[in-house]
């Protein structure tokens, strides 16, 4: 959850003005706002989230306490590979999230036969990841989706048009599910090197090495 801090700043001589912070993660914003409140010069402190909802200090504290016990700060890495010889596709995803002050990682992959291109495999890998997020119970919060596919990332960001029917179907399927879950998505395009974990999972799937795990890791 990201927010902007809105507050009235008042000088010792009584001059005041309304100021706004940059957008930041809610825990950081809460920490800063509490410190500002202690100075006695920041009044009418409010937080504005990405959906233009407004929160008071008390409301945001309560919200963060409730979120703490649920999976949050979710980051998805996805990758898909297509073998021209066998016409098989390998799908891979790694999902990181926080819960109860601990960090967890889910790894999943799958071997599928009905796809026709590498771009379609990339979309299918992201769809697999979104299904895992749904099973995890993640809803109504921001998530980050990371991949090295320029086609998938740029089309979902609507920076590139999507003319191919099959890819458009995958995009619609993914966007519908994200909307149903109430997820506020930030897309991040990275190099293949920075997406190595998901790439390896997709490659393992093509070699018929099944991976399915959930693990607590060092934060």
């Amino acid at each position: 959850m990201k927010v902007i801090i809105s507050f009235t700043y008042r000088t010792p001589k009584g001059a005041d003005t309304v100021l706004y912070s940059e957008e930041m993660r809610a825990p950081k914003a809460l920490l800063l706002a509490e410190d500002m409140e202690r100075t006695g010069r920041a009044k009418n402190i409010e937080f504005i989230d990405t959906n233009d909802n407004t929160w008071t200090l008390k409301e945001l504290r309560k919200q963060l306490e409730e979120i703490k016990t649920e999976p949050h700060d979710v980051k998805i890495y996805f990758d898909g590979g297509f073998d021209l010889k066998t016409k098989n596709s390998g799908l891979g995803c790694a999902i990181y999230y926080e819960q109860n002050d601990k960090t967890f990682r889910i790894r999943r992959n799958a071997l599928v036969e009905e796809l026709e291109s590498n771009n379609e495999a990339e979309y299918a890998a992201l769809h697999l990841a979104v299904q895992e997020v749904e099973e995890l119970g993640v809803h109504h919060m921001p998530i980050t989706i990371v991949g090295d596919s320029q086609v998938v990332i740029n089309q979902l960001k609507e920076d590139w048009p999507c003319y191919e029917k099959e890819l458009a179907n995958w995009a619609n399927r993914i966007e519908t599910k994200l909307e149903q879950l109430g997820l506020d998505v930030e897309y991040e395009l990275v190099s293949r090197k920075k997406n190595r974990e998901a790439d390896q999972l997709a490659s393992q799937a093509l070699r018929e090495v099944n991976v399915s795990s959930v693990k607590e890791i060092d934060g």
Side-chain angles (χ1 to χ4, degrees):
M1 181 178 183
K2 290 186 176 181
V3 297
I4 291 171
I5 308 171
S6 166
F7 62 99
T8 301
Y9 181 80
R10 183 167 297 151
T11 71
K13 293 184 178 181
D16 59 42
T17 187
V18 176
L19 299 174
Y20 297 88
S21 74
E22 64 181 3
E23 189 178 68
M24 65 188 78
R25 292 288 184 185
K28 178 182 177 181
L30 183 61
L31 184 66
L32 289 171
E34 288 173 338
D35 187 67
M36 289 158 50
E37 186 180 45
R38 283 192 289 270
T39 68
R41 294 185 182 181
K43 307 291 183 182
N44 306 319
I45 298 174
E46 292 183 329
F47 305 89
I48 306 167
D49 67 21
T50 51
N51 294 315
D52 290 328
N53 297 313
T54 302
W55 306 75
T56 64
L57 269 166
K58 183 178 180 180
E59 289 169 341
L60 190 60
R61 283 193 198 102
K62 182 179 179 182
Q63 175 70 3
L64 292 180
E65 276 301 313
E66 291 174 354
I67 288 176
K68 185 177 178 180
T69 61
E70 300 177 3
H72 60 279
D73 285 351
V74 179
K75 195 165 192 175
I76 292 171
Y77 293 82
F78 74 94
D79 196 38
F82 181 71
D83 189 321
L84 285 170
K85 292 182 180 179
T86 64
K87 303 300 182 183
N88 289 337
S89 297
L91 318 180
C93 64
I95 302 166
Y96 291 80
Y97 64 95
E98 306 286 326
Q99 188 172 16
N100 294 319
D101 296 322
K102 297 178 181 178
T103 302
F104 296 89
R105 180 189 63 207
I106 296 174
R107 284 177 169 176
R108 294 280 188 270
N109 69 0
L111 178 67
V112 294
E113 300 176 353
E114 66 271 17
L115 307 182
E116 298 179 358
S117 70
N118 192 75
N119 286 333
E120 198 177 355
E122 294 275 10
Y123 266 111
L126 178 53
H127 186 260
L128 174 68
V130 172
Q131 287 178 309
E132 291 296 328
V133 166
E134 181 179 24
E135 283 192 32
L136 192 58
V138 177
H139 61 91
H140 295 93
M141 63 176 60
I143 68 168
T144 303
I145 292 177
V146 183
D148 58 39
S149 169
Q150 293 191 50
V151 170
V152 173
I153 296 296
N154 286 319
Q155 286 182 347
L156 290 176
K157 287 173 65 177
E158 299 184 352
D159 290 340
W160 288 7
C162 184
Y163 298 117
E164 297 178 55
K165 182 179 178 181
E166 287 303 321
L167 300 189
N169 288 340
W170 280 108
N172 290 336
R173 205 172 298 152
I174 290 166
E175 288 172 338
T176 297
K177 180 56 65 177
L178 293 171
E179 187 175 342
Q180 288 173 350
L181 296 174
L183 299 176
D184 180 17
V185 183
E186 178 180 335
Y187 293 100
E188 184 178 340
L189 180 64
V190 297
S191 66
R192 187 172 182 180
K193 183 178 179 181
K194 292 185 178 180
N195 198 35
R196 188 174 296 164
E197 185 173 27
D199 175 67
Q200 183 179 15
L201 288 165
S203 297
Q204 287 174 310
L206 283 172
R207 300 196 304 270
E208 299 187 31
V209 177
N210 180 63
V211 179
S212 179
S213 67
V214 181
K215 182 180 179 182
E216 181 185 342
I217 60 174
D218 293 333

